[in-house]
Amino acid sequence: MSEGAALLEVAGVHVAFGGVQALDGVSFQVGPGEAVGLVGPNGAGKTTLFNVVTGQLRPDAGTVRFEGRPLGGVPSHRRARLGIARTFQRVEVFPELSPLEHVVVARRASRGEGSLWADLLGRGRLSPEEHRSALDLLRAVGLSSLAEVPVAALTLGQQRLVELARALALEPRLLLADEPSSGLDAAERASVARLLRRLVEARGTALLLVEHDLALVRQVVDRVLVLDSGALVAEGPFDQVVTDPRVRQAYLGRAAS
Amino acid sequence: MNALVSATVPGVTYGCEFGLMAVGLVLTYRATGVFNLAFGAQAFASAFVFDLLSRYEQVPEWAAFVVAVVLLAPAVGLALDRFLYRHVPARAAMARTVIAIAVLLAIPELIPLLFGTATRSRIGSLGLPANQVYFHLAGTPVTGSEITTVGVTVLAAVLLTGLLRGTRFGLRMRAVVESRRLAELEGVDAAAVSAAAWGLSSFLAGLAGVLLLPQMGSLDPTDPLAFTALLVAGLTAAAVASLRSVPWALGAGVLLGVLETVLQTELPANSVWSQGLLEALPFVLLVGVLLVNPRLRTLERSQDPLAGVDPPPPPPSVSVRDARLAGPMRWGFRLLLVAFVVSSLTWVPGNWVFSLGQGLVLSVIFLSVVVVTGMGGQLSLCQATFAGIGAFAAGQLASHLGLSVLLGALVGAAIAAAVGTVVALVAARASGLLLTLVTLAFALFADSVLFQFSWSGGGYSGVTVPRPVLGPVSFVSDRAFLLLALVVLVVVMGLVVLVQRGTTGRVLAALRGSPVGAASVGVWEARAKVTVFALSAAVAGLGGALFGSIQGPISSSDFQYTVSLAFVVVVLTTGVQTVEGAVQAGMAYAVIGQALTYLPSRFSGVEFLLFAAGALTYAAHPEGIVEYQRTRWLQRANAVLAAWDTWRAGRGPGGEQGTDRARALPSAIGGEAG
């Protein structure tokens, strides 16, 4: 991967919460259409890193570039409009809206559509075409039968799928998926894995995947980053990285000692 | 220098009153999780009873103190906890603020109902003889009441700080506020702890009331809300303390008191400075502190980890409705509308026509609450102020430029929208309780400063808004005006529904659910918030202009902050999520008000009972009473329809499927009907 071709470039990011170094000089790159796994024990700083990339958290030091453009000072919603989508470890759905409306809101908001004037003139309603394409997207994640049910009535697993559909509605260049399979049963996990892989291969979306289910990570990603106590300790193909002694120590070392 | 000192001594006493108010707000917020705007009204109730007993009933002072402060005040707190706050679902943070406002409005209704309306001017005091001078400080006499106030305030602050920070009970109170369920899992009796917290904070309210008595000139039982200065300064000091720290609240209160007294004595009298600045200064300070103090932004950020245990909020009643009921209900509504128009044009007596017209106009104003609170998810306490802006603009334009009232109403709406935009921009980074407080500060500012000029509120004489005349069509008569109001209401309702079902409405629903999630798909929260505020202000401004037009002469008192508070309580208890809720609230407000005029005057406090009854249902059903009742009726109707389906299914083939569908519908969305 050459220097200028990186889609996402994270350089020297530091984040401290009080006395705890959540991220300690993290640097890496993700190329266009590349699927990268981000693994590490709980508390390693994975979600913090996501928050820095999506702009929910301002790093104490370091830069994040997207398509070569520095993102410092760019607010969250602008980053989403640039093509960075994410899902959340603790689901952040809109309980009053249906899955269909999640997709519609995401589509319109990410394009900056829908002014108050348009609404007042009656142009804010769902067009049949919009309805159809939203349903297509929901079918792809396996939610078409629940498209009109308020999300508050869905299970946690289904809500994760809603988040995924919502993120995909942005047609993102980069998707940050934060434990998309937790709370899902085996069949749902398999379908999420297939979905993510298809996303990368067919649409050329870059993926940064945080996941504890290593089998799923192995299935989906091209490359793995290992984060421990806020620092990257290993990087490379999955099979090579899991045998790395530093990685074994990160996962098992402190528990064993 | 000597003048400074002589201003400081009374300033400290004055400041202790602010401090006591602030300490009360902080304590209640930390111990119960409620921002108790009714604290001042509770204080007044105790002060009133103390005064009644000690001065008029010849009860010894200590006995009066025991009854008013030691017994009555905590009893009020326990009752509030037992009958209201305990029933509010954990997720409904806004409902708690609204209930506090309802209590604030109900107490002034209750006191005259119990004790009559005579104003009392001989005021008793607590502790040392009030006017005796005990010693001189730098040449300034220090009186008994000053010593008592300062002494008791400092003592209360020290004890409360110790209680909150250093005792197990304090820890438990904070735990229960954070997560009632989690505290219960740890073996804390949450009900007892929150009852004790309410008892304690209400005791403090009673104490504050009795201490502040000697400083008030007189006690008017119908107007305990007159102490705006105390409220503003108390809020400011509480905001300096981030609603967290008792010592900071006291310190800030004292500082404000000294500042105000020094400015009053040091600034030259009758200059522009002392008149303009001194009046606006408290509000500027309040808004400044609210926006600058970064710790206030994290006020409601901590989430109950067990919030998910609560059942989700009930679905809107419309979604519960069986599809077969849609047609009959639509026709029933149309029939009702025609009957309403025909009746009000023909047989309804004149005074009722006026009231119904008022109801329609209020419905328009109430729609602005539906927009900002129902859709925007923010509690605004300055909707009457926006209405006032619209009304005064229409009136001033009509009287000075001869502009048509209908045109003036639109201009007024536009001005209100502009002001609403400014308020929203100033408070762009605030939300939840903090935003509510900013709107309250703005409403108080408008009351005391903005609406007092001759070019705005018209000063003492007020402003007269004429009835509109459109070419050959005159809306001067009450009946004609009622029709006009109905047309405007229907148009505005339609527009609000369009916004609700359009992108803006959905984006706002997304923001109510998860601001972080909304930002992750490109929703610009600040813009959405400014939009909804501007729209709401415009609707309120338009409604306000119509209100002015139906009333004729209006003045700033028609749009006081208490009016905003009443609007909020009425609309939220009725139902703020739908446009119908606003209309039901508006009509109920006007019709009940008119109906009460038939009762003998001493029953005027019946309004209190209505408020109280409303609050009782609202506490358990924050979606609104009408919405709750309608859901229940629809569920019953569904059950009847389902029974009918079952009966039919037993008689012929093919009915089976229909039964399943009718049963599946309510259960799919979590309804109770079986």
Side-chain angles (χ1 to χ4, degrees), chain A residues 100 104 107-108 111 113 122-135, chain B residues 501 503 506:
Chain A
L100 190 84
V104 171
R107 284 243 162 96
R108 290 186 180 173
R111 294 172 190 164
E113 289 174 5
R123 298 202 196 119
R125 299 189 189 188
L126 220 59
S127 70
E129 192 206 335
E130 218 176 353
H131 190 267
R132 205 175 321 116
S133 79
L135 265 184
Chain B
R501 295 185 184 162
T503 317
R506 291 204 173 94

Side-chain angles (χ1 to χ4, degrees), chain B residues 459-473:
Chain B
Y460 280 116
S461 51
V463 174
T464 301
V465 188
R467 296 274 172 97
V469 178
L470 198 67
V473 189

Side-chain angles (χ1 to χ4, degrees), chain B residues 93-468:
Chain B
M94 190 191 290
R96 281 185 276 271
T97 312
V98 174
I99 289 173
I101 296 172
V103 174
L104 168 71
L105 296 174
I107 287 178
E109 302 273 353
L110 186 60
I111 291 176
L113 195 66
L114 294 177
F115 304 112
T117 53
T119 301
R120 289 152 211 280
S121 53
R122 292 184 299 146
I123 293 179
S125 70
L126 183 72
L128 302 173
N131 295 321
Q132 187 174 330
V133 175
Y134 281 80
F135 55 90
H136 286 74
L137 207 63
T140 313
V142 179
T143 64
S145 76
E146 285 172 334
I147 296 173
T148 316
T149 304
V150 174
V152 176
T153 306
V154 171
L155 186 70
V158 169
L159 288 178
L160 289 173
T161 309
L163 180 78
L164 278 176
R165 288 197 183 158
T167 66
R168 286 171 63 90
F169 177 62
L171 187 65
R172 283 178 178 178
M173 285 198 297
R174 280 153 52 199
V176 169
V177 169
E178 196 84 358
S179 169
R180 201 180 176 100
R181 289 208 166 82
L182 218 50
E184 278 171 349
L185 286 180
E186 292 292 323
V188 174
D189 184 350
V193 169
S194 95
W198 271 104
L200 180 68
S201 78
S202 303
F203 168 76
L204 188 68
L207 189 65
V210 172
L211 276 182
L212 303 189
L213 260 185
Q215 272 73 37
M216 295 190 215
S218 65
L219 280 179
D220 179 356
T222 58
D223 193 17
L225 306 177
F227 44 84
T228 306
L230 184 61
L231 179 63
V232 172
L235 280 177
T236 312
V240 169
S242 317
L243 287 182
R244 287 188 182 97
S245 159
V246 168
W248 272 92
L250 179 61
V254 170
L255 206 66
L256 283 173
V258 172
L259 182 71
E260 204 159 305
T261 325
V262 167
L263 280 181
Q264 256 161 11
T265 50
E266 293 297 296
L267 287 177
N270 297 326
S271 74
V272 182
W273 280 100
S274 53
Q275 281 177 359
L277 178 87
L278 210 56
E279 278 183 7
L281 187 68
F283 306 101
V284 175
L285 266 180
L286 174 57
V287 171
V289 172
L290 285 175
L291 296 179
V292 169
N293 186 349
R295 294 187 65 192
L296 283 174
R297 275 190 218 119
T298 57
L299 263 190
E300 286 166 330
R301 194 154 296 170
S302 78
Q303 276 185 341
D304 183 350
L306 285 184
V309 177
D310 268 342
S317 62
V318 180
S319 68
V320 179
R321 188 173 66 189
D322 191 300
R324 283 169 287 177
L325 289 173
M329 281 180 72
R330 196 178 312 134
W331 278 104
F333 176 73
R334 285 176 191 169
L335 212 64
L336 199 69
L337 188 68
V338 171
F340 175 79
V341 172
V342 171
S343 307
S344 45
L345 288 182
T346 51
W347 60 269
V348 174
N351 54 346
W352 277 94
V353 171
F354 180 76
S355 289
L356 292 175
Q358 258 186 336
L360 293 172
V361 168
L362 281 173
S363 302
V364 176
I365 299 179
F366 288 178
L367 277 173
S368 78
V369 182
V370 169
V371 170
V372 72
T373 307
M375 288 168 60
Q378 305 294 338
L379 188 64
S380 160
L381 301 182
C382 61
Q383 293 308 108
T385 311
F386 291 140
I389 291 172
F392 292 137
Q396 299 279 11
L397 287 171
S399 65
H400 287 107
L401 301 178
L403 197 66
S404 149
V405 174
L406 287 178
L407 212 56
L410 292 179
V411 175
I415 296 175
V419 176
T421 306
V422 171
V423 172
L425 284 175
V426 167
R429 292 169 72 185
S431 63
L433 180 57
L434 180 55
L435 184 63
T436 302
L437 293 180
V438 173
T439 59
L440 177 63
F442 175 64
L444 290 164
F445 167 74
D447 283 357
S448 308
V449 183
L450 191 61
F451 285 167
Q452 298 304 326
F453 301 106
S454 59
W455 54 264
S456 58
Y460 280 116
S461 51
V463 174
T464 301
V465 188
R467 296 274 172 97

Side-chain angles (χ1 to χ4, degrees), chain A residues 56 76-77 80-81 88 90 92-97 101 105-106 108-110 113-114 116 119-120 122 124-125 166 170, chain B residues 303 312 495 498-499 501-504 506 509-510 512-514 516-524 527 531 535 668-669:
Chain A
Q56 261 109 35
S76 280
H77 70 273
R81 291 181 188 186
F88 294 86
R90 250 179 92 169
E92 293 281 354
V93 289
F94 314 134
E96 297 168 50
L97 298 184
E101 286 175 307
V105 164
R108 290 186 180 173
S110 64
E113 289 174 5
L116 182 65
D119 287 340
L120 288 173
R125 299 189 189 188
R166 182 179 71 184
L170 267 60
Chain B
Q303 276 185 341
L495 290 177
L498 279 178
V499 173
R501 295 185 184 162
T503 317
T504 311
R506 291 204 173 94
R512 288 199 298 273
S514 163
V516 181
S520 83
V521 295
V523 169
W524 187 2
R527 189 187 136 169
T531 304
L535 178 67
I669 34 167

